[in-house]
């Protein structure tokens, strides 16, 4: 469930990253936050009626490809701090 992810898995990943010497903080940039928000809205709108068809599946696959392309071409902003 989402509570298990938020309470256990994410802090565990941060601690494991710290142990491996990889910087894994929870400082999300604006691109990641907007991507998460928009994908949540798209999935919610798609599964809201409880029925599925091939067109909804194709729309979700296209949305996935758009997100993947966005992350492929996105450049990390410079840290100001």
């Amino acid at each position: 469930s989402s509570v298990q992810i938020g309470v256990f898995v994410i802090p565990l990943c941060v601690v494991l990253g710290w142990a491996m010497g990889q910087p894994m903080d929870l400082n999300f940039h604006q691109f990641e936050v907007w991507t998460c928000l928009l994908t949540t809205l798209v999935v919610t709108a798609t599964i809201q009626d409880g029925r599925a068809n091939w067109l909804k599946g194709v729309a979700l696959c296209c949305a996935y490809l758009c997100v993947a392309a966005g992350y492929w071409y996105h450049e990390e902003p410079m840290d100001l701090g």
Side-chain angles (χ1 to χ4, degrees):
S1 75
S2 60
V3 174
Q4 289 173 331
I5 298 295
V7 173
F8 180 69
V9 176
I10 292 175
L12 179 68
C13 288
V14 171
V15 170
L16 288 175
W18 172 72
M20 294 186 311
Q22 294 290 329
M24 295 184 71
D25 57 1
L26 298 177
N27 183 17
F28 298 111
H29 296 286
Q30 191 173 11
F31 180 75
E32 287 97 4
V33 173
W34 279 108
T35 303
C36 184
L37 177 68
L38 290 175
T39 54
T40 303
L41 291 175
V42 167
V43 170
T44 301
T46 304
I47 64 171
Q48 193 169 13
D49 63 351
R51 292 183 290 162
N53 57 32
W54 66 271
L55 186 59
K56 287 183 181 181
V58 170
L60 287 175
C61 287
C62 289
Y64 176 77
L65 290 175
C66 289
V67 169
Y71 274 100
W72 181 265
Y73 291 109
H74 176 70
E75 294 183 13
E76 288 292 324
M78 297 287 292
D79 286 332
L80 299 175

